Amino acid sequence: MAEVTIKKNNSSTVLPPSDLIQGKRQLTDEEIAVLKANRNRNADESWQNIWVPAEKDNFEATLIYDCEISGFLIIGRLVSATLQFHDLILETGFYHSYLDNVCTGDDVVIRNVAYLSNYRLANRVMLFNVQEISCTCHSKFGNGILKEGEPESNRVWVSVGNENDARAVLPFESMIPADAFLWSRYREDKTILQKFIDMTEYGQSKALDTYGIIDDDAVIKNCTLLKDAKIGKNAYIKGAFKLKNITILSSPDEVSQIGEGVELVNGIVGYGSRIFYQAVAVRFVIGRNCQLKYGARLLNSVLGDNSTISCCEILNNLIFPFHEQHHNSSFLIASTIGGQSNIASGATIGSNHNSRSPDGEMIAGRGFWPGLCSDFKHNSRFASFVLVAKGSYNYELNITYPFALVATNGSNQPVSIIPGYWFMYNMYAMARNKTKFLKRDKRVVKVQHIETAPFAPDTMQEILIALDRIIELTGRHLKAQGDAKAVATSTDEELYQVAKDFLHQNPDAEFVLEDSRCQKKYGALIYKPVRGYREYRKVLKFFAVSTLIDYCAMRHIPKLTQAELERIEQLPLYTSWINMGGQVMPEKKVEELLDYIKTGAIYSWDQVHAFYEESFALYPTYKTTYAIFVLEQLYSRPVYNFTREIYEDIQADVVAISNEIYNSAFSSREKDYSDYFRSITFRNKEEQEAVIGSIEHNEFLKEMKPKGKIFREKMKKLFMDLC
């Protein structure tokens, strides 16, 4: 609504929008007299710039004391009452404050606010000891939109993934990492990029009539500056230094908190997030249930749900959900991290560029875990669940083996890789992974479904690629060693089959492979390739069987039949998968989404989110057809040609890995209690158990054993009619 200025008693009064003064009245002479007696001052000498509830019982003029009023002031119910939040107890009313173009809801406290301008407060808001809360008419609250007449240079971008701004995205209130990933990766199509901008602008007003919002039950105390800030329901802000051009999303079920010394500029804070102790964020989107604390610096980055950043510095990153980074010397720059990750103390990622400009970047799959004081050089890429041992990695890395251990052998040397390391030496971590992250997921509203299982289509896809690579390298090794069968081959296909046969027929063979693709200049040494090959195959079978058991449960059938296999064969098959911000999706579905956006069939981010939801609803079906595909790849034949021996082989391997999961998990966890060096800091065993517990009381292991038994019983039924 256009503002109208009227002249009355030689003063200027801005009339508020008519909807704000419905059911309101202006002051009586008696109320004006009370306000004047209470040392209040008004730029409008007539005092007709104030509107109060029509019912006289809902307004007590005595509750406004020593305030300076300018512009309009619209007051909800204001009667003698007490508001309490923790140990803060305040009487309702306005005290010792400057109020300019302010509209309040019912039962509000405004006390010692030196400057409050152009804001609308909802019900039961508490403002206490704040220097300035103001809003400009062109505020965007952290969203990457433009107002009427603004130049493109005013738009706020978040430069994720690369320092050169070429992957930059526009922040918006409902953004999740999948949106940022879609926008930051598919950069070659200018039409799509413009569509993303249009979608961000969709439904947003360009009028220069913006006002600040502080929603129901928000508490703001002892702060310096809030400018162009939108504050959600029940938000608690205490001691913040500067909040400028931001949205803090909050609700009664997912309360967001901002603490002492915090500085937030140009960004979005997700529901249920907590930011404390001198943390700084500039040009950012923070997801749901995140923590930023202890001097953390988050710049030009998008942080996924359920993540924690403590002490360290993060620049130009796109980080998927369940990311942990806790230590003061950690540094992460120009990366896309697939989530479920943990960055150890002293890890320096992205400090070294190998070009003339800072345009390097790193990509890591789910479960990335670099060791203490590790440093890496751009450009590097890591498969899912890669553990990198402590060390300085002087050359670019391309680790295509998932669930692997990577270690340096010093400068000017190949790196060492053990494929499938987690399955051999720390199955406890893999077995616990899904349960751990599900427990950490405190989101009440789940906008996107995050895949927390380590064994899922995205990781199985990587295992299939790693298996092919091991077979290929084994063929080269056999030929170099003069193996008669390998030397006799005349084609790559023949050599591939010889190498595959060798790996199956020699399960205890020990040799080291060389992979030149894994590190620039010096390559990598692949240790335990035969065992890694064997573990990879068992995990693929375990994934396939687990998925088929889930399928039978979904279909309410006890087992698979030939008819059911034929039904599955008719379902769509997707063999290429993408981690879309934590949700695993077929690559074809992502391409379908991009086509919808390009043609205008999808024109808002809410519709994009609906597409994610529809894809997730079909995810169990997609996984089922992929599980059959995995088994067919392993046995090099269609499933309808599987023999009794093949099904027995599948069951034998899956039973073995099911037992190994528990036994290995138990033994790897048991070391934490029985290792001699774990006991040297304790006076006796009783003190040790009091501090770190005992293996017998490990709840996860206690739950795991019966679950494994149930799983094996279901598997026996699964193939009963097929064997």
Side-chain angles (χ1 to χ4, degrees):
M1 173 179 290
E3 293 180 343
V4 178
T5 301
I6 63 172
K7 292 285 187 179
K8 187 175 287 189
N9 293 339
N10 298 318
S11 67
S12 212
T13 300
V14 179
L15 285 180
S18 58
D19 59 309
L20 295 183
I21 56 177
Q22 288 182 3
K24 304 288 184 182
R25 63 175 175 83
Q26 292 178 304
L27 298 173
T28 65
D29 290 342
E30 293 80 3
E31 289 166 337
I32 293 172
V34 171
L35 291 176
K36 289 180 177 179
N38 279 357
R39 299 174 58 188
N40 295 293
R41 286 87 60 205
N42 196 334
D44 183 349
E45 296 176 3
S46 71
W47 293 78
Q48 296 305 297
N49 59 341
I50 301 176
W51 284 262
V52 298
E55 305 85 357
K56 286 193 176 183
D57 290 344
N58 281 344
F59 176 69
E60 297 179 20
T62 56
L63 299 179
I64 303 177
Y65 182 83
D66 189 28
C67 290
E68 186 174 350
I69 300 163
S70 179
F72 60 77
L73 175 60
I74 304 169
I75 304 172
R77 183 179 63 225
L78 189 62
V79 297
S80 184
T82 301
L83 294 185
Q84 179 173 358
F85 183 83
H86 296 166
D87 56 351
L88 180 65
I89 303 172
L90 296 173
E91 297 295 323
T92 54
F94 309 162
Y95 308 94
H96 315 296
S97 299
Y98 177 92
L99 309 172
D100 172 51
N101 289 345
V102 173
C103 177
T104 76
D106 297 338
D107 306 316
V108 165
V109 174
I110 303 175
R111 185 184 289 266
N112 301 344
V113 179
Y115 187 80
L116 175 59
S117 178
N118 193 24
Y119 258 82
R120 298 186 187 177
L121 281 54
N123 303 311
R124 298 172 302 281
V125 169
M126 300 174 71
L127 306 182
F128 177 59
N129 286 353
V130 184
Q131 289 187 22
E132 179 182 342
I133 304 177
S134 64
C135 182
T136 60
C137 64
H138 53 77
S139 176
K140 280 79 83 177
F141 305 121
N143 292 277
I145 62 175
L146 294 177
K147 289 290 187 175
E148 184 179 336
E150 287 191 311
E152 188 64 33
S153 58
N154 279 18
R155 203 186 290 274
V156 173
W157 292 85
V158 178
S159 297
V160 300
N162 198 303
E163 289 180 84
N164 69 356
D165 299 336
R167 295 194 186 277
V169 302
L170 292 177
F172 53 90
E173 203 168 292
S174 62
M175 174 176 268
I176 57 177
D179 306 329
F181 178 80
L182 197 69
W183 198 330
S184 67
R185 302 309 303 180
Y186 297 88
R187 306 297 294 193
E188 64 277 12
D189 191 328
K190 302 302 181 186
T191 302
I192 284 288
L193 297 184
Q194 183 57 51
K195 291 288 187 180
F196 290 148
I197 296 174
D198 296 341
M199 288 160 57
T200 303
E201 297 271 9
Y202 177 78
Q204 300 285 344
S205 171
K206 289 187 173 294
L208 298 174
D209 58 358
T210 313
Y211 50 84
I213 296 173
I214 302 177
D215 216 329
D216 291 342
D217 300 293
V219 177
I220 304 173
K221 68 176 187 178
N222 302 325
C223 296
T224 303
L225 172 66
L226 282 80
K227 187 177 181 66
D228 297 339
K230 179 181 176 183
I231 311 299
K233 287 180 170 61
N234 296 82
Y236 179 36
I237 303 173
K238 58 173 181 175
F241 172 61
K242 178 164 68 173
L243 309 181
K244 183 177 179 181
N245 189 31
I246 64 162
T247 292
I248 298 176
L249 299 169
S250 183
S251 72
D253 294 325
E254 295 177 288
V255 175
S256 292
Q257 299 182 39
I258 310 296
E260 294 83 355
V262 168
E263 185 172 358
L264 305 176
V265 179
N266 298 336
I268 313 290
V269 176
Y271 289 94
S273 289
R274 298 163 300 285
I275 305 177
F276 297 123
Y277 311 127
Q278 290 78 48
V280 175
V282 180
R283 293 180 181 255
F284 66 92
V285 175
I286 294 174
R288 276 178 146 91
N289 187 41
C290 290
Q291 294 189 67
L292 214 64
K293 53 188 179 179
Y294 304 128
R297 286 87 72 204
L298 181 76
L299 312 174
N300 267 304
S301 296
V302 174
L303 181 65
D305 298 345
N306 303 303
S307 295
T308 298
I309 305 294
S310 178
C311 306
C312 48
E313 186 173 22
I314 288 185
L315 287 81
N316 302 97
N317 293 286
L318 170 54
I319 301 175
F320 294 2
F322 296 108
H323 178 82
E324 300 289 321
Q325 192 166 344
H326 293 276
H327 306 285
N328 197 42
S329 54
S330 299
F331 180 77
L332 184 65
I333 188 169
S335 303
T336 299
I337 308 293
Q340 297 163 43
S341 36
N342 195 318
I343 308 300
S345 178
T348 306
I349 299 169
S351 62
N352 298 319
H353 295 282
N354 59 355
S355 70
R356 281 359 83 172
S357 62
D359 58 0
E361 56 190 43
M362 189 194 83
I363 298 176
R366 290 196 287 143
F368 180 58
W369 197 327
L372 294 167
C373 299
S374 298
D375 62 82
F376 304 93
K377 189 170 188 175
H378 288 141
N379 287 2
S380 288
R381 184 177 63 171
F382 299 87
S384 298
F385 293 96
V386 168
L387 174 64
V388 185
K390 174 180 178 179
S392 182
Y393 296 83
N394 296 327
Y395 297 94
E396 299 89 327
L397 298 173
N398 179 32
I399 309 303
T400 57
Y401 300 90
F403 304 98
L405 171 68
V406 179
T408 179
N409 294 305
S411 58
N412 305 327
Q413 295 291 329
V415 296
S416 298
I417 300 175
I418 301 179
Y421 169 86
W422 288 102
F423 312 142
M424 302 176 197
Y425 301 109
N426 196 359
M427 187 61 84
Y428 175 85
M430 288 295 97
R432 179 173 167 259
N433 200 74
K434 180 176 182 178
T435 303
K436 173 180 70 176
F437 289 122
L438 287 176
K439 286 182 177 179
R440 291 180 185 176
D441 191 351
K442 304 300 183 184
R443 299 173 300 162
V444 175
V445 178
K446 295 177 172 60
V447 174
Q448 188 173 33
H449 298 273
I450 302 166
E451 178 61 88
T452 59
F455 305 153
D458 60 330
T459 52
M460 298 303 103
Q461 168 183 264
E462 292 179 335
I463 286 179
L464 286 174
I465 293 170
L467 284 176
D468 272 346
R469 186 63 174 165
I470 290 173
I471 294 170
E472 179 186 346
L473 295 176
T474 299
R476 295 181 192 174
H477 171 79
L478 292 175
K479 204 163 192 175
Q481 295 296 311
D483 178 88
K485 291 182 180 179
V487 171
T489 61
S490 56
T491 66
D492 290 342
E493 290 76 12
E494 290 176 358
L495 182 59
Y496 182 94
Q497 189 59 50
V498 167
K500 188 174 181 181
D501 292 341
F502 177 88
L503 289 167
H504 284 274
Q505 295 163 9
N506 299 273
D508 299 319
E510 290 284 351
F511 53 87
V512 177
L513 299 174
E514 297 179 9
D515 193 338
S516 60
R517 297 180 186 172
C518 291
Q519 181 189 221
K520 186 176 181 179
K521 196 170 183 179
Y522 294 102
L525 301 176
I526 312 301
Y527 288 89
K528 302 183 183 296
V530 181
R531 186 173 177 188
Y533 179 83
R534 193 167 69 244
E535 295 297 328
Y536 277 155
R537 287 182 60 89
K538 286 195 291 187
V539 165
L540 285 167
K541 295 174 190 177
F542 183 82
F543 158 77
V545 169
S546 301
T547 302
L548 292 171
I549 288 173
D550 290 342
Y551 170 81
C552 289
M554 180 178 68
R555 293 271 294 151
H556 305 291
I557 56 176
K559 55 192 173 183
L560 288 175
T561 62
Q562 286 294 343
E564 200 64 38
L565 286 178
E566 290 173 8
R567 181 183 182 279
I568 295 171
E569 287 283 296
Q570 301 305 311
L571 298 172
L573 170 63
Y574 299 103
T575 59
S576 181
W577 299 82
I578 295 177
N579 177 2
M580 280 288 295
Q583 178 179 347
V584 176
M585 290 177 61
E587 186 174 14
K588 290 288 186 184
K589 297 301 290 184
V590 177
E591 293 171 355
E592 182 182 321
L593 171 60
L594 290 168
D595 285 340
Y596 283 143
I597 294 171
K598 192 171 181 178
T599 61
I602 286 178
Y603 51 84
S604 74
W605 287 109
D606 286 343
Q607 291 175 316
V608 171
H609 296 171
F611 187 94
Y612 297 153
E613 187 70 22
E614 291 168 10
S615 181
F616 176 76
L618 293 170
Y619 181 52
T621 300
Y622 300 156
K623 279 204 302 183
T624 301
T625 55
Y626 187 66
I628 295 295
F629 169 79
V630 165
L631 292 176
E632 291 177 335
Q633 292 297 110
L634 289 175
Y635 291 97
S636 302
R637 68 193 72 184
V639 68
Y640 52 78
N641 284 341
F642 278 18
T643 62
R644 174 187 294 272
E645 289 73 26
I646 287 177
Y647 284 117
E648 289 175 350
D649 183 66
I650 293 171
Q651 291 182 81
D653 270 353
V654 174
V655 167
I657 200 167
S658 177
N659 290 327
E660 285 173 19
I661 285 174
Y662 177 77
N663 294 333
S664 177
F666 185 91
S667 62
S668 62
R669 184 61 173 145
E670 187 181 32
K671 295 174 186 175
D672 293 336
Y673 300 103
S674 60
D675 182 82
Y676 169 73
F677 287 95
R678 288 280 286 175
S679 67
I680 60 176
T681 61
F682 303 102
R683 294 180 296 107
N684 50 50
K685 187 174 180 60
E686 289 72 23
E687 183 194 1
Q688 180 179 352
E689 289 191 2
V691 174
I692 65 173
S694 64
I695 190 77
E696 291 78 15
H697 294 101
N698 187 290
E699 290 298 324
F700 174 72
L701 290 175
K702 287 164 68 174
E703 294 171 3
M704 191 176 174
K705 193 169 186 178
K707 285 181 179 178
K709 183 179 179 182
I710 293 170
F711 171 81
R712 289 187 291 275
E713 290 172 354
K714 289 180 178 178
M715 188 195 61
K716 288 179 183 178
K717 295 179 182 177
L718 182 67
F719 299 126
M720 190 178 293
D721 285 1
L722 301 176
C723 292

